Amino acid sequence: MIPTEISVQIDKQAIKQYVEKKLDEAIQAQLWMVDVNKLSELTCISKRYLEQEILSDVRFRAIERKKSSKRWYMAHEAFALVEEITSEW
């Protein structure tokens, strides 16, 4: 019988990044509404820049849900609008 040796090396950092990416994708698929902070986090755009350049757009104001000073946006519509607005630049 021929002796065999099997060696498996695991890159823990790569696995961790892969799992985090898949979790983020799953969470985003489950989102119903987002606020400015969550939108900023998910798009990697600063809150200030979002406020000045994107959320002030008429199209964004049309999908805004507001109660007192809190603003929410339907997640699917918000991400589609961010993509549309940023592609116009």
Side-chain angles (χ1 to χ4, degrees), residues 61-73:
R61 294 201 183 265
I63 66 165
E64 182 178 275
R65 308 283 200 268
K66 193 169 184 175
K67 171 99 179 185
S68 301
S69 62
K70 187 69 176 170
R71 296 175 294 167
W72 295 279
Y73 307 92

Side-chain angles (χ1 to χ4, degrees), residues 12 16 18 20 38 40 47-48 56 69 71 77 81:
K12 291 180 181 181
K16 182 179 177 183
Y18 177 79
E20 287 176 352
K38 190 65 170 178
S40 173
K47 184 178 171 183
R48 181 177 176 202
S56 61
S69 62
R71 296 175 294 167
E77 294 174 6
L81 273 176

Side-chain angles (χ1 to χ4, degrees), residues 20-47 50 54-55 60 72-80 82-83 86:
E20 287 176 352
K21 179 183 176 192
K22 289 299 180 181
L23 282 173
D24 285 343
E25 289 173 2
I27 290 169
Q28 185 172 351
Q30 298 298 317
L31 286 176
W32 284 48
M33 299 183 96
V34 291
D35 63 358
V36 177
N37 294 328
K38 190 65 170 178
L39 196 56
S40 173
E41 176 186 333
L42 293 172
T43 59
C44 297
I45 300 174
S46 73
K47 184 178 171 183
L50 270 174
I54 297 175
L55 300 181
F60 242 95
W72 295 279
Y73 307 92
M74 299 306 291
H76 182 71
E77 294 174 6
F79 291 120
V82 168
E83 185 176 350
T86 55

